[in-house]
Amino acid sequence: MKKNLEEPTYIITESAKYDSLDPLDGDKTKNLPVQRMVYSTIFEVSPEDDYDSFLLDKFSFDKKRKELTLVIKSDLKFSDGTVITTKDIVFAILRMLKSRPNYPVIDKISGAREWSGRFDSLPKGISYDDKKILIRFDSMNFNPLSRFCMEIFSIIPSRCLDIGSGEINCKRIPSSGPYQISSESDTTVTFQKNKYFKASRFRDLPERIKFKYIGIKEVESIKFQLGVNEVLAGHETQLSKDKMDSLKKLFNFTMKPKVRFRALEIHPKNGFKNRSCRQAFAKLFRKFSKTSGVETENSIFTKIMKGYQFFDEHKGIECEKKPTVRWGYVKELSNSEFVEIMMGLLDSDQGVFKIEKPILFENYQQMDEALKSGVINISTSGSGFWAADPAGDIRMFLTEGMHKPLNFITSDPELQKLLTELENDQSPENFIKVNRYLYEDAKFNVYRHAARFYMTNKNVSLKNLPLGITSPAPYTVLEKLIESN
C-alpha cells in the first residue's frame, strides 16, 4: 500500500481551484484546502480530534482570568528558511482584528475597539516577547481555541505585511505549514513537503500530495474509478439520494455528521422588500425541492444541535403584487442542486411568480456585482457547524462584513442583537430565537441539511478519521488512508 502512495491524491468536487493564498480569503470553500496545506494556523485539530499546534510548545486558557497564553516552539522556520516568531503569530491576529473587528473571540480582546489599526501598536489586551504571547479578554464564557484553528488565522511572515494597512507585499508567501506548492495546472495542484516544517514525531505525512479538481458529474459516470491512493471529498447536496445509494455499493464512504446547510437567499429588492412575498417564494422553493427528492428542512441548526426546529410552512400569507424572480449562477455551479431546483420551477410554470431565465456568470465577482446592483435578487449559499462551538460558528457566518455577499442579511440590527445574546448565553432558547428570526424574516431560507463525505476505493478503508471538531486537513485524511491500509 505504501508503495502505491508515493503521491496520494485528494480529489475535490465542491469547488474549482483556489484563487487566493491570502489568509483572509481562507474561509472561502475553494481556498480552504490549499491554505490548510501550506500554512500553519495558531491551533490545529489533531488526528485524535483534540486541539494541538504545530507552532506552540504549550498553551493554556485561564477562564477565571480570561487569559490565553501561547508559548512558541524553538527553531521554527518558514519554507524559505527564515525564522517564525511570536510577532508573526500576533500579526495574524491583528490582521483579522483590523479587517473583521466583529469576528467572534477577537472582538472581546481588551482594547480591541480602541486599537489604532496600525501594526506597530497593540491593543492593551495583547502583549508578547520572544517566547510568549498573552491575550486578555474583556469577557469570555467558552474556550476560544476553536476560532484560532481557522485558516483565516494562518501564519505568514510579518515582514510580508504593510505596517499601516496590513496588506500583503510579498510576491510569493513562504509556507509555514507542512507543504509548499511545487507545481500546478488548471485542474491540479501538487505539494511537496516543506523541508523546514517540524511535525510531531508521531505523524507520518506523505512526501508529496496531489489535489485534483473534478466536477460531480464525472463521479456519477459509470466509468468513474478511484485508485487505492485516492480519496474523494464530496458533499451530500451534490448528489441525489438514489445516486448516493448507488455509489455506496461501489465505493467505501466515511460520512461526517450532518451539520452542513444550504439556503435560498432572497434579496429585499425589486419586489421582495415585502416579507410576505419572500415567505411565499421560500415556501414554493421548498415545496418544489421536496418533490424533486430533496430531504427538505427549514432550520439553520441541524437535528443533532441545540435549537433544531421544523417550522410549519406559512399559511395564509399574501403577496398581492408578485415580484419577478431574477437569478443566475456561476459556470462552475451549473450542475448544482440549487440550479436544478430553480430550473425545475422555471420549467413547471407555477404561475405564482414570474421566474426569468438564469444569467450565467463567469465568476463570483460578476455575480456579487449583479446582486449588489439588483440585476438578480435570488442566490444561494451554505455553511456548517463545528461541534466545539456552534454558537461561535453562526456568529462568525453572520458577522457583519465577514462575507460581503451576505451584507443584506448581516446588516440587520435585530439579527445582530439576537446573535450577541446567543454568544453570551448559549441556552437552547437563544438558539431557537435566532432560528425563528431567520425563518420569519425569509431573507436567508435554509432548505437542506447535509453531510460531507470521503469516498475511497472499495478495497481500501479510511479508519479513525477525526470528524468531531471540524473537517480534517487533507494531509490528515491521506495520512489516515496510509495508516488504515
Side-chain angles (χ1 to χ4, degrees), residues 270-404:
N270 301 336
F272 279 119
K273 189 173 182 180
N274 183 306
R275 186 177 75 165
S276 294
C277 291
R278 296 197 301 270
Q279 290 175 344
F281 186 69
K283 180 179 178 179
L284 179 66
F285 183 92
R286 288 195 188 100
K287 180 182 176 183
F288 195 84
S289 69
K290 189 173 184 177
T291 60
S292 302
V294 174
E295 295 180 48
T296 307
E297 296 278 359
N298 53 26
S299 166
I300 194 166
F301 302 114
T302 69
K303 287 180 180 177
I304 63 173
M305 300 173 62
K306 291 181 189 175
Y308 170 78
Q309 293 165 285
F310 190 88
F311 299 101
D312 292 331
E313 290 291 354
H314 296 287
K315 296 176 181 177
I317 49 178
E318 293 185 8
C319 177
E320 293 178 7
K321 191 176 180 182
K322 302 296 189 293
T324 298
V325 176
R326 300 182 175 94
W327 66 291
Y329 57 91
V330 177
K331 271 184 178 180
E332 66 187 69
L333 295 179
S334 58
N335 294 318
S336 72
E337 179 180 84
F338 168 75
V339 173
E340 288 182 13
I341 295 169
M342 287 298 296
M343 289 301 291
L345 279 170
L346 174 63
D347 294 340
S348 67
D349 188 23
Q350 297 280 331
V352 182
F353 291 87
K354 182 185 175 185
I355 302 174
E356 293 189 342
K357 290 182 178 180
I359 300 171
L360 190 61
F361 299 103
E362 291 293 327
N363 53 54
Y364 284 97
Q365 186 176 351
Q366 283 184 3
M367 190 169 74
D368 291 348
E369 287 300 320
L371 287 166
K372 194 186 301 181
S373 62
V375 172
I376 61 175
N377 52 16
I378 297 292
S379 59
T380 184
S381 68
S383 188
F385 297 96
W386 294 9
D389 184 19
D393 280 342
I394 191 70
R395 186 76 174 85
M396 175 197 71
F397 182 67
L398 296 174
T399 293
E400 193 168 1
M402 179 76 176
H403 302 290
K404 290 180 181 177

Side-chain angles (χ1 to χ4, degrees), residues 36-314:
R36 183 55 87 183
M37 295 289 288
V38 299
Y39 298 136
S40 288
T41 47
I42 299 172
F43 296 107
E44 308 280 339
V45 177
S46 74
E48 292 73 42
D49 223 3
D50 197 1
Y51 295 113
D52 198 358
S53 178
F54 290 138
L55 302 173
L56 303 176
D57 190 35
K58 56 184 176 179
F59 53 88
S60 62
F61 177 62
D62 186 325
K63 193 170 183 178
K64 188 175 181 181
R65 296 171 64 91
K66 297 185 283 289
E67 290 182 349
L68 179 62
T69 303
L70 314 174
V71 180
I72 196 170
K73 290 179 181 177
S74 302
D75 302 322
L76 294 173
K77 292 181 180 179
F78 291 102
S79 57
D80 64 353
T82 58
V83 176
I84 299 175
T85 68
T86 50
K87 182 179 178 181
D88 300 321
I89 296 174
V90 168
F91 271 36
I93 297 169
L94 295 182
R95 268 195 104 210
M96 273 294 292
L97 185 57
K98 185 178 179 69
S99 65
R100 296 163 192 175
N102 297 316
Y103 185 84
V105 174
I106 60 171
D107 65 338
K108 292 180 170 58
I109 294 174
S110 299
R113 300 293 177 188
E114 296 76 32
W115 178 51
S116 69
R118 286 189 57 85
F119 287 62
D120 51 3
S121 66
L122 293 172
K124 68 178 182 180
I126 299 179
S127 59
Y128 70 100
D129 56 28
D130 290 345
K131 192 70 179 170
K132 185 170 76 172
I133 301 166
L134 182 66
I135 304 173
R136 291 179 295 275
F137 300 93
D138 289 328
S139 62
M140 185 63 63
N141 60 0
F142 60 91
N143 193 314
L145 302 188
S146 64
R147 291 300 108 198
F148 293 118
C149 288
M150 295 198 67
E151 290 73 17
I152 42 182
F153 289 101
S154 292
I155 307 305
I156 64 174
S158 52
R159 60 182 166 80
C160 284
L161 300 174
D162 180 89
I163 205 78
S165 67
E167 294 294 318
I168 293 174
N169 53 28
C170 288
K171 287 185 178 179
R172 188 175 178 86
I173 307 170
S175 300
S176 58
Y179 293 88
Q180 53 187 331
I181 295 172
S182 57
S183 65
E184 54 188 304
S185 69
D186 290 343
T187 57
T188 64
V189 182
T190 302
F191 302 88
Q192 182 72 40
K193 246 186 179 179
N194 172 7
K195 66 179 182 180
Y196 291 106
F197 179 79
K198 293 182 178 179
S200 159
R201 66 183 183 277
F202 303 112
R203 304 295 294 269
D204 185 19
L205 302 181
E207 285 295 322
R208 286 165 61 85
I209 286 175
K210 179 185 277 188
F211 279 8
K212 187 160 66 172
Y213 296 83
I214 66 172
I216 200 66
K217 287 296 179 187
E218 189 174 330
V219 180
E220 294 180 10
S221 165
I222 197 167
K223 296 179 180 178
F224 183 76
Q225 295 183 338
L226 282 173
V228 294
N229 63 337
E230 296 179 319
V231 174
L232 182 143
H235 197 292
E236 279 186 316
T237 60
Q238 299 173 293
L239 296 161
S240 68
K241 186 177 184 301
D242 288 346
K243 192 61 190 177
M244 280 285 291
D245 290 342
S246 297
L247 288 171
K248 285 178 179 178
K249 295 174 184 175
L250 302 172
F251 300 95
N252 275 335
F253 273 72
T254 302
M255 304 295 296
K256 281 205 73 188
K258 198 166 276 201
V259 292
R260 307 287 300 173
F261 60 82
R262 290 299 307 177
L264 166 76
E265 296 173 1
I266 305 177
H267 296 244
K269 294 180 178 179
N270 301 336
F272 279 119
K273 189 173 182 180
N274 183 306
R275 186 177 75 165
S276 294
C277 291
R278 296 197 301 270
Q279 290 175 344
F281 186 69
K283 180 179 178 179
L284 179 66
F285 183 92
R286 288 195 188 100
K287 180 182 176 183
F288 195 84
S289 69
K290 189 173 184 177
T291 60
S292 302
V294 174
E295 295 180 48
T296 307
E297 296 278 359
N298 53 26
S299 166
I300 194 166
F301 302 114
T302 69
K303 287 180 180 177
I304 63 173
M305 300 173 62
K306 291 181 189 175
Y308 170 78
Q309 293 165 285
F310 190 88
F311 299 101
D312 292 331
E313 290 291 354
H314 296 287

Side-chain angles (χ1 to χ4, degrees), residues 141 391 395 414-427 429-431 433-434:
N141 60 0
R395 186 76 174 85
E414 180 61 25
L415 175 61
Q416 291 303 324
K417 175 175 170 287
L418 292 172
L419 290 168
T420 300
E421 289 173 359
L422 172 60
E423 192 177 15
N424 293 332
D425 175 10
Q426 297 182 28
S427 63
E429 293 77 13
N430 283 338
F431 277 89
K433 284 180 185 177
V434 171

